[in-house]
Amino acid sequence: MASATRDHFSSRLGVLAATLGSAVGLGNIWKFPSLVGQNGGASFLVVYLLASLCIGLPLMISDLSLGRAGRSNVISIFQKLAPRTGWWLIGLSAIISCLLILGFYSDVAGWVFAYIFKSATGAVSSTDPAVAQASFSSLLNDGPVSLFWQWLVLLLTGGIIMRGASAGIEKVTRILMPVLFLLLVGVCIRSLTLPGASEGLRFLFMPQWERVDASVIMMAMGLAFFKMSLGMGCMLSSYFKEDVNIPLMATRVMICDLLVSLLAGIAIFPAVFSFGFQPAEGPALLFLTIPAVFASMPGGTFFATLFFILSAIASTGAILSLLEVPVAWLSERFSLPRTKAVPILLAGLVLLGLPATLSTGPALQDVKLFGLTFFDLYDALSSTILMPLSGIVTSLFVGYFWKKEHMLAALGGGMPARLVRTLCRTVTPVLITLVLLHGLGII
Ligand code: PHE
């Protein structure tokens, strides 16, 4: 992820942890399971896998190598590599996407923080869907409380990024990520041993091809962008030493990220069927089923609290990488110290986040633009439109505009570099364009 100090990462593990810190977050444990649930389970998984391989991976490699070659903020990277052209607009779109994502992501992170306390007090320790639903709804329906948690998240992450302390957080993430992973494995085991668990597994691993249509494909592609933190400059702002093998590193990040998502799916779906939740519940799934699984096991209160603490830390890593993109640009472009750039940004985010947060409760849930609430609009605009658009333009930049020798040099040469270049000239931009146009109903 973006390091506050524009520095090299010291070790290979450091590079992996930092990049994973951005990739692994609420996308894995909140967004992935809810989209899998809403879009037909296994068939969605297959489409997602294809999108990750043909679109996500080449773009992650492109972003990381552009970052290594440009070493600057997202806009000036392109001004440096392609002076006096319009390619810098990729950077502008990246900044807008970051802001939109922060607008709703900080809200969901706020729910996670709130659930640390709800779990610790045992308030959500029940396997009864009605109790779980009531508890989650009471949070969403209480605008001031939801805003309180969102602002707390923004203040906390803003404070960290203002002090340039991301490196410290990366270290924490490096230690705690494996703990989250282990805990997820534990939840999976419990979930799989619940009565009726096999139905959840069948849902997750038996494809329903008739469910796959243009909007499902578009959703899967958007999810790949979101989960791999692509198309919004987070990976562009990473600083890798020359000896880091970018294609290998990106493949590892993709695999680890996928593994965490699959674990989250295996943790959640057997429990969904066993306790009688609705698989298509959507964003609430994480907050309904995970407390129920913990409630059904010994030491549940402790482990549920730990789970939400670790999830809060994972979301903090992702938010830091998102914040770094506009902060780096603001402070470099206007020569502002971070102590000024961060408060300006936070003030903007409080305003931008307000409608998103209030739109998940009674205050604004009936206000719709293009048929979507503010929360869903921010999500759809960023994941399914801006990020794919920026993906198309980035792949064209890497495939056609960037001089072949420079591109191959930035990637360290070799077969993977050539393959990425070929993909960026052909499959990747064409696929994204087709999916985007089809999803928007244009073709
Ligand atoms: N990839 C993060 C997640 O899955 C979210 C994120 C998106 C982070 C975009 C940075 C940029 O939670």
Side-chain angles (χ1 to χ4, degrees):
M1 69 167 252
S3 167
T5 48
R6 295 193 161 265
D7 226 345
H8 291 307
F9 293 112
S10 50
S11 68
R12 247 157 247 240
L13 191 63
V15 176
L16 184 64
T19 317
L20 270 180
S22 172
V24 174
L26 297 172
N28 301 63
I29 50 178
W30 160 70
K31 208 172 201 227
F32 182 85
S34 61
L35 285 185
V36 171
Q38 282 171 329
N39 294 297
S43 31
F44 181 80
L45 266 180
V46 174
V47 180
Y48 173 77
L49 260 180
L50 285 176
S52 299
L53 275 176
C54 305
I55 298 174
L57 194 56
L59 279 180
M60 185 186 288
I61 296 173
S62 301
D63 268 11
L64 291 174
S65 35
L66 282 170
R68 177 151 78 185
R71 287 179 204 282
S72 190
N73 68 66
V74 282
I75 291 195
S76 48
I77 283 182
F78 292 98
Q79 290 170 334
K80 256 190 193 176
L81 297 177
R84 288 177 301 282
T85 61
W87 292 102
W88 61 271
L89 288 167
I90 301 179
L92 181 65
S93 148
I95 292 178
I96 298 174
S97 295
C98 278
L99 298 177
L100 287 172
I101 294 178
L102 281 164
F104 72 89
Y105 198 87
S106 53
D107 183 25
V108 185
W111 301 342
V112 172
F113 276 75
Y115 262 69
I116 296 176
F117 291 92
K118 279 184 181 270
S119 312
T121 55
V124 284
S125 178
S126 164
T127 55
D128 179 353
V131 174
Q133 185 70 63
S135 179
F136 188 59
S137 304
S138 75
L139 176 63
L140 297 196
N141 290 339
D142 195 334
V145 169
S146 301
L147 286 174
F148 164 81
W149 288 111
Q150 180 181 35
W151 293 348
L152 189 78
V153 167
L154 287 173
L155 267 182
L156 183 79
T157 46
I160 296 174
I161 210 122
M162 190 153 79
R163 286 159 193 265
S166 308
I169 291 299
E170 277 155 22
K171 284 203 190 91
V172 177
T173 315
R174 197 184 318 174
I175 300 166
L176 290 180
M177 202 88 86
V179 184
L180 176 62
F181 190 81
L182 283 181
L183 198 62
L184 261 180
V185 173
V187 185
C188 286
I189 295 174
R190 176 63 193 127
S191 196
L192 286 173
T193 48
L194 287 168
S198 55
E199 215 176 316
L201 278 187
R202 210 169 305 125
F203 176 78
L204 205 52
F205 294 113
M206 288 265 287
Q208 298 171 259
W209 295 115
E210 66 285 357
R211 295 285 302 271
V212 179
D213 60 15
S215 73
V216 166
I217 299 177
M218 190 158 153
M219 205 80 87
M221 181 177 78
L223 182 65
F225 274 95
F226 187 88
K227 280 196 354 78
M228 294 163 84
S229 309
L230 300 172
M232 83 286 286
C234 292
M235 296 293 170
L236 273 179
S237 324
S238 297
Y239 272 50
F240 285 2
K241 272 190 185 164
E242 301 307 324
D243 66 346
V244 173
N245 181 336
I246 289 182
L248 188 65
M249 192 58 71
T251 311
R252 283 193 187 141
V253 171
M254 186 193 83
I255 293 174
C256 292
D257 182 64
L258 187 68
L259 216 62
V260 177
S261 307
L262 279 179
L263 279 180
I266 297 175
I268 286 178
F269 285 106
V272 165
F273 287 90
S274 178
F275 295 131
F277 290 101
Q278 289 304 317
E281 186 70 60
L285 219 45
L286 166 71
F287 300 94
L288 301 181
T289 50
I290 289 285
V293 179
F294 283 116
S296 73
M297 61 196 253
T301 304
F302 171 76
F303 285 114
T305 314
L306 184 65
F307 178 87
F308 282 107
I309 292 178
L310 294 170
S311 305
I313 293 171
S315 67
T316 304
I319 293 180
L320 290 176
S321 78
L322 282 163
L323 281 174
E324 178 64 19
V325 174
V327 168
W329 175 72
L330 266 180
S331 54
E332 289 174 21
R333 169 72 181 75
F334 300 100
S335 310
L336 286 177
R338 279 176 172 256
T339 43
K340 289 223 175 88
V342 173
I344 294 175
L345 181 66
L346 287 189
L349 286 173
V350 161
L351 289 180
L352 190 73
L354 197 84
T357 302
L358 294 182
S359 72
T360 58
L364 288 182
Q365 70 192 4
D366 295 326
V367 180
K368 307 233 162 125
L369 284 175
F370 306 106
L372 298 171
T373 61
F374 283 102
F375 185 103
D376 292 338
L377 185 71
Y378 289 6
D379 188 6
L381 262 180
S382 51
S383 286
T384 42
I385 304 203
L386 282 177
M387 284 143 79
L389 265 182
S390 134
I392 298 174
V393 186
T394 306
S395 51
L396 294 178
F397 183 87
V398 169
Y400 292 96
F401 188 84
W402 210 6
K403 280 220 177 68
K404 191 173 171 188
E405 319 78 84
H406 294 174
M407 187 262 168
L408 296 182
L411 265 176
M415 209 272 281
R418 264 185 277 278
L419 181 64
V420 169
R421 188 162 183 276
T422 309
L423 283 175
C424 283
R425 290 169 77 85
T426 52
V427 177
T428 309
V430 171
L431 260 187
I432 312 177
T433 309
L434 285 179
V435 174
L436 196 61
L437 293 180
H438 202 38
L440 292 176
I442 298 173
I443 55 169

